[in-house]
Amino acid sequence: MLTDTKLRKSLGKRREKVEILSDAHGLNVRLSAAGAVTFFYRYRWAGKPAQITLGEYPALSLSDARDRRQLFRKWLTEGVDPRQQIKIEKKNKTEALTVDEAYCYWEEYYCRPEGLVGLSSNRKCYEKHIKPALGNVVVDQTDKGNWISVFDTMGRTVMAGEMLSIMKRAFRFCSNRGVISNNPLESLRRSDVGTSPAYQDRKLSDSEIKIIWEELDTLPLPKQIIVRFLLLTGCRTAEIRKARWEWFDLKEKTWTVPAEEYKTGKTIRRALGDVPASMMKSLKELTGSDLVLSKLNSRTRIPQPLNQAQVSEYAQFISNRTGLAHWTLHDMRRTVATRLSELGAPPHVIEKLLGHQMGGVMARYNLHDYIDDQRHWLKVWHDHLEKVVGRPLIKS
């Protein structure tokens, strides 16, 4: 029977010839003339003697060598040749995906074919928070603790919860496809690492809308266009921030956001109404870019969309100047939807104006965009806004 004491005394001891020491159940060590101590396992397969080298002591401990022997014996009782199983293990280790490779696999085989619009923003978040810490680590070699440590560095934030959700989806897809053995995040919940986005119910009153509209007259043109367009249409901030002139048919007074730029991955056409169409016509005469609103990249000097973080501050900027209670640009979207409902607009028309996909059976079978109904209720909304503001929405 082998012992650690016996192995330590044999290690590095020169001898005239190779010696073999046995443990039990096929586990042995080879003592070389130069003093190396190597574990190997002997067994019989198909009536013939076979042998597998396990590793050198002390890099491989006696305890680990015995564990390995027990695994080999288990394989033998199951009718599996340990030599073949070891080859499979080595192949799996060689082909095992790192976190970064698994994330790319998810993007290539799921996100892009499905047309997920959040691809670029998700990748930016991944490269900022996950890739530096675990990108080069094999997924199957990570555990829950490794991931919790990464999420903890992000603080108990909404972003930590979002990144957990993204990585869980990526690993679940990879696991289902058999390219990783397990999903180390499967049992983690958003509440374990971060917080959920807070539910918002802020909507602007008529008096607040009047104050904002009047304050816009004193602000630079980009701020005016974005805030007014949001209030007139109820669209998402990113839709006007990234808008291109090719999306607009100013003659027909419609605008169409292509699938690759839209949150739902579907092309959506909406009515503009007279006021936004007139505003866009005036703006187009002043711009020389394909983008409706743009700024020059400081390095390339190429026009690019306005920065999301900067645009998000427009509401606070107006509040600081007017003393209004805190509000966000997204609150305008909620305000438009609520006011349209109060004015009598049917729910399905409001959904179309907001750019939402229809729910249930209607999403699959009713592809009508209700463009004439959209035009009608936008006019009702714009007439209401004129009464609130107390003057024409477009200066003559």
Side-chain angles (χ1 to χ4, degrees), residues 23-27 41-45 52 54 65-83 85-86:
D23 187 54
H25 304 297
L27 179 62
Y41 178 67
R42 282 176 174 165
Y43 65 103
R44 297 188 70 80
W45 182 257
I52 300 173
L54 304 186
R66 285 171 173 164
D67 288 343
R68 196 70 174 157
R69 173 195 61 194
Q70 293 305 109
L71 178 61
F72 292 165
R73 295 184 70 200
K74 176 177 179 292
W75 287 343
L76 286 168
T77 61
E78 294 171 349
V80 177
D81 185 350
R83 290 171 298 185
Q85 196 63 27
I86 287 172

Side-chain angles (χ1 to χ4, degrees), residues 12-222:
K13 182 179 179 180
R14 301 187 68 83
R15 49 187 56 82
E16 292 182 0
K17 61 178 182 178
V18 174
E19 297 180 24
I20 303 296
L21 302 179
S22 297
D23 187 54
H25 304 297
L27 179 62
N28 304 273
V29 292
R30 182 186 304 108
L31 308 179
S32 73
V37 178
T38 306
F39 290 105
F40 66 96
Y41 178 67
R42 282 176 174 165
Y43 65 103
R44 297 188 70 80
W45 182 257
K48 296 180 180 180
Q51 181 173 304
I52 300 173
T53 298
L54 304 186
E56 292 194 359
Y57 180 85
L60 180 66
S61 70
L62 177 58
S63 175
D64 288 342
R66 285 171 173 164
D67 288 343
R68 196 70 174 157
R69 173 195 61 194
Q70 293 305 109
L71 178 61
F72 292 165
R73 295 184 70 200
K74 176 177 179 292
W75 287 343
L76 286 168
T77 61
E78 294 171 349
V80 177
D81 185 350
R83 290 171 298 185
Q84 297 303 317
Q85 196 63 27
I86 287 172
K87 288 180 181 179
I88 293 173
E89 281 190 348
K90 288 181 177 179
K91 183 174 184 292
N92 288 341
K93 287 181 179 179
T94 301
E95 297 179 354
L97 298 186
T98 64
V99 170
D100 193 48
E101 289 169 339
Y103 190 87
C104 292
Y105 183 93
W106 177 60
E107 285 185 319
E108 181 177 356
Y109 292 102
Y110 180 77
C111 298
R112 290 192 180 92
E114 290 292 325
L116 298 189
V117 178
L119 195 64
S120 60
S121 59
N122 287 348
R123 170 154 281 281
K124 285 181 181 178
C125 294
Y126 163 76
E127 291 185 344
K128 179 179 180 181
H129 299 291
I130 305 298
K131 187 174 181 177
L134 293 174
N136 293 326
V137 182
V138 173
V139 176
D140 293 333
Q141 293 177 0
T142 67
D143 57 27
K144 194 186 303 181
N146 301 139
W147 287 94
I148 289 175
S149 296
V150 171
F151 293 127
D152 283 349
T153 63
M154 299 170 63
R156 195 167 184 78
T157 59
V158 172
M159 179 54 68
E162 286 295 316
M163 286 313 305
L164 170 63
S165 177
I166 290 170
M167 297 310 299
K168 280 182 72 172
R169 294 201 303 272
F171 288 163
R172 187 179 299 121
F173 178 78
C174 291
S175 179
N176 289 341
R177 302 262 293 200
V179 295
I180 63 174
S181 298
N182 65 87
N183 182 350
L185 302 176
E186 192 59 49
S187 64
L188 279 179
R189 301 164 299 175
R190 181 188 288 265
S191 58
D192 293 326
V193 300
T195 59
S196 298
Y199 175 76
Q200 301 293 331
D201 59 2
R202 174 86 159 96
K203 63 180 184 294
L204 299 170
S205 67
D206 285 349
S207 60
E208 288 175 319
I209 291 173
K210 179 178 174 63
I211 291 171
I212 292 169
W213 194 271
E214 291 178 344
E215 182 63 26
L216 288 172
D217 289 339
T218 68
L219 302 184
L221 186 61

Side-chain angles (χ1 to χ4, degrees), residues 156-292:
R156 195 167 184 78
T157 59
V158 172
M159 179 54 68
E162 286 295 316
M163 286 313 305
L164 170 63
S165 177
I166 290 170
M167 297 310 299
K168 280 182 72 172
R169 294 201 303 272
F171 288 163
R172 187 179 299 121
F173 178 78
C174 291
S175 179
N176 289 341
R177 302 262 293 200
V179 295
I180 63 174
S181 298
N182 65 87
N183 182 350
L185 302 176
E186 192 59 49
S187 64
L188 279 179
R189 301 164 299 175
R190 181 188 288 265
S191 58
D192 293 326
V193 300
T195 59
S196 298
Y199 175 76
Q200 301 293 331
D201 59 2
R202 174 86 159 96
K203 63 180 184 294
L204 299 170
S205 67
D206 285 349
S207 60
E208 288 175 319
I209 291 173
K210 179 178 174 63
I211 291 171
I212 292 169
W213 194 271
E214 291 178 344
E215 182 63 26
L216 288 172
D217 289 339
T218 68
L219 302 184
L221 186 61
K223 287 187 172 70
Q224 291 188 40
I225 295 297
I226 285 182
V227 179
R228 285 195 165 120
F229 196 85
L230 294 176
L231 189 54
L232 289 165
T233 66
C235 73
R236 296 179 178 90
T237 306
E239 292 166 8
I240 181 60
R241 183 174 60 83
K242 297 179 178 180
R244 295 181 172 275
W245 287 116
E246 64 191 49
W247 299 1
F248 292 86
D249 185 334
L250 297 179
K251 182 178 180 180
E252 292 295 322
K253 298 176 184 175
T254 62
W255 65 306
T256 304
V257 181
E260 61 270 18
E261 293 288 349
Y262 202 66
K263 182 177 181 179
T264 62
K266 307 290 184 182
T267 299
I268 189 82
R269 182 177 73 138
R270 280 172 283 182
L272 266 181
D274 293 337
V275 177
S278 176
M279 186 171 68
M280 290 293 104
K281 285 178 182 177
S282 298
L283 178 64
K284 191 173 185 180
E285 295 173 359
L286 303 175
T287 60
S289 168
D290 292 337
L291 293 164
V292 173

Side-chain angles (χ1 to χ4, degrees), residues 316-375:
Q316 188 59 49
F317 180 81
I318 293 172
S319 289
N320 292 342
R321 290 170 62 111
T322 61
L324 286 178
H326 175 74
W327 60 285
T328 68
L329 294 182
H330 195 73
D331 293 333
M332 286 191 160
R333 184 168 165 82
R334 189 180 302 107
T335 299
V336 172
T338 303
R339 290 286 185 263
L340 277 169
S341 181
E342 292 170 350
L343 291 168
H348 66 276
V349 177
I350 297 175
E351 291 295 280
K352 286 296 184 180
L353 284 168
L354 293 179
H356 287 163
Q357 293 296 309
M358 305 294 279
V361 175
M362 292 186 74
R364 185 173 295 274
Y365 294 106
N366 187 353
L367 305 181
H368 183 47
D369 58 13
Y370 298 96
I371 200 71
D372 290 334
D373 297 296
Q374 289 187 48
R375 289 191 175 101

